[in-house]
Amino acid sequence: MLKKQPMHIDQIDAFIAAGLKEDVGTGDVTCLACIPSDARNRARLLVKDEGILAGMEIAERIFTTVDPNCHFEKLLDDGADIKYGDLAFIVECQTQALLQAERLVLNTMQRMSGIATLSRQYHDAVADLPVKILDTRKTTPLIRFLEKWAVRIGGCHNYRDGLYDWFMIKDNHTDACGGIQPAIERVDAYQRAHGLNLNVTVEVRNLHELQQVLNTGKVTRIMLDNFQLDAMHTAVKMVNKRFETEASGGVTLETLRNIALTGVDYISVGALTHSAQSLDLSLKVLKE
C-alpha cells in the first residue's frame, strides 16, 4: 500500500488524523446510539459517474487507521477508467469505525477522482505531441499533496511543490526589483550564496522581455505568459532550444492542442486543480 506515493507517510497520516478530528470530534453520536460497539459490517464503494478513479490507496489507509483489523478488497486500481455501476472496493470493518471513516474516504476520493479525470482529458488531448502538461500552485490549502497526486494519476505532471523548491520569477518579482535582468542576477547570486542548485523559471510578457532573458541567461525555463499563437511560434524559434519553454495563462481543452503545436516543451494549466468537478461516489453498507 502507498508504494508509489513519494511523500512521507507522516504527511498522509497527519491528514487522516485531522480529517477524522474535524468530522468525528468528540464522537459520532448517531453511531454510538445506534450501532453496538462489537458490530462488524461490509460495505462497497459504488461508482455513480464516469471518469478516472483516484484515491484508492489513501482510502485503504483511512480504513486501517480507524480499524487495524479491517479487510480491504481492492477491485480497481488508481487510474482505472470507471463508469456508473462499477465497484471500486469492498471493505469489512468494525461498523462504528466504518461509518466514521465514510465521509473522509468519499470526500477525498471524489475530489481526487475529479482531478484525475480532468488531468486525463488534458493528457489525452496532446498525447501524440512532445509536450508535458503541468499543474500549478492553484490548489486547495493543506491538501495540495493529494491534488498533485491525483494529477499524476491522471497522466499529467507536477511543477513545483511550493515556493521553496523552484525559483519562479514572475511579473510581480520583475516589477518589484526593477526588471528581468536584475531579477535573474539576484536569483543567481542568491543560489551561489546559499549553495543552491534549483531550477529557475522566468515569466515573460512579450518578445522584448524574452530577448532580455536570452541576453542574460542563467535560467532553466522561460514561461510565455498569455502569448498569442503567432507570438508563441516566434518565441519558440527565438529560444531555439537554448532553454526550456513553457506556455501559461488561460489554457483550456479547446486551446490546448494549438498551443502544443507551437513547439513549447511544457504547458502549465491551473484548471487541473482549481476547476475540476468532483466525481460522484457512494459507500453503501451491505445487508448480510
Side-chain angles (χ1 to χ4, degrees), residues 185-203:
E185 296 290 358
R186 289 180 187 180
V187 165
D188 184 62
Y190 186 92
Q191 293 238 61
R192 288 185 280 106
H194 292 83
L196 299 176
N197 187 30
L198 300 178
N199 289 312
V200 180
T201 294
V202 60
E203 176 187 89

Side-chain angles (χ1 to χ4, degrees), residues 217-278:
K218 303 177 183 179
V219 302
T220 310
R221 185 179 303 167
I222 302 174
M223 179 194 294
L224 310 172
D225 185 54
N226 285 300
F227 272 49
Q228 296 297 314
L229 289 177
D230 287 346
M232 197 175 297
H233 274 286
T234 301
V236 170
K237 290 180 180 178
M238 287 174 63
V239 175
N240 195 28
K241 297 297 182 181
R242 288 175 55 191
F243 307 101
E244 296 173 353
T245 53
E246 171 191 342
S248 179
V251 180
T252 68
L253 277 169
E254 290 70 30
T255 62
L256 179 69
R257 189 166 183 86
N258 283 337
I259 293 172
L261 288 170
T262 65
V264 291
D265 301 303
Y266 299 92
I267 303 174
S268 53
V269 184
L272 297 183
T273 49
H274 73 58
S275 294
Q277 178 67 44
S278 294

Side-chain angles (χ1 to χ4, degrees), residues 70 76 124 140 145 177 192 218 222 246 257:
C70 81
L76 295 171
D124 288 351
T140 307
F145 76 100
C177 72
R192 288 185 280 106
K218 303 177 183 179
I222 302 174
E246 171 191 342
R257 189 166 183 86

Side-chain angles (χ1 to χ4, degrees), residues 56-206:
M56 288 287 289
E57 295 183 63
I58 197 164
E60 182 176 1
R61 186 74 177 183
I62 292 169
F63 283 121
T64 57
T65 297
V66 297
D67 179 7
N69 295 315
C70 81
H71 176 70
F72 188 91
E73 182 183 358
K74 183 168 62 172
L75 304 177
L76 295 171
D77 292 320
D78 279 339
D81 291 295
I82 52 176
K83 64 184 184 304
Y84 189 98
D86 285 344
L87 297 181
F89 65 72
I90 297 174
V91 60
E92 188 273 332
C93 191
Q94 196 266 352
T95 310
Q96 290 184 359
L98 172 68
L99 297 178
Q100 289 169 10
E102 173 189 6
R103 184 47 54 191
L104 181 58
V105 168
L106 285 175
N107 287 349
T108 303
M109 289 194 66
Q110 288 177 156
R111 177 67 178 151
M112 291 183 68
S113 296
I115 292 172
T117 298
L118 187 57
S119 296
R120 181 65 60 82
Q121 292 171 6
Y122 273 83
H123 169 272
D124 288 351
V126 292
D128 60 322
L129 299 176
V131 65
K132 290 184 177 181
I133 308 302
L134 305 175
D135 60 15
T136 70
R137 287 170 47 244
K138 295 178 180 178
T139 54
T140 307
L142 302 182
I143 62 167
R144 177 178 293 171
F145 76 100
L146 293 176
E147 295 180 339
K148 283 181 170 284
W149 188 355
V151 166
R152 295 194 302 276
I153 290 171
C156 293
H157 301 266
N158 298 151
Y159 205 151
R160 51 179 180 163
D161 289 329
L163 296 172
Y164 52 86
D165 62 343
W166 191 301
F167 287 96
M168 187 176 289
I169 306 170
K170 302 195 77 175
D171 54 355
N172 283 334
H173 300 101
T174 58
D175 291 344
C177 72
I180 284 182
Q181 182 175 351
I184 295 173
E185 296 290 358
R186 289 180 187 180
V187 165
D188 184 62
Y190 186 92
Q191 293 238 61
R192 288 185 280 106
H194 292 83
L196 299 176
N197 187 30
L198 300 178
N199 289 312
V200 180
T201 294
V202 60
E203 176 187 89
V204 298
R205 293 166 284 195
N206 50 58

Side-chain angles (χ1 to χ4, degrees), residues 28-73:
D28 177 354
V29 293
T30 310
C31 272
L32 292 172
C34 297
I35 309 296
S37 60
D38 61 348
R40 299 187 71 83
N41 279 94
R42 293 192 306 152
R44 62 182 185 175
L45 187 79
L46 177 65
V47 176
K48 301 172 70 177
D49 217 331
E50 292 188 4
I52 302 299
L53 184 66
M56 288 287 289
E57 295 183 63
I58 197 164
E60 182 176 1
R61 186 74 177 183
I62 292 169
F63 283 121
T64 57
T65 297
V66 297
D67 179 7
N69 295 315
C70 81
H71 176 70
F72 188 91
E73 182 183 358

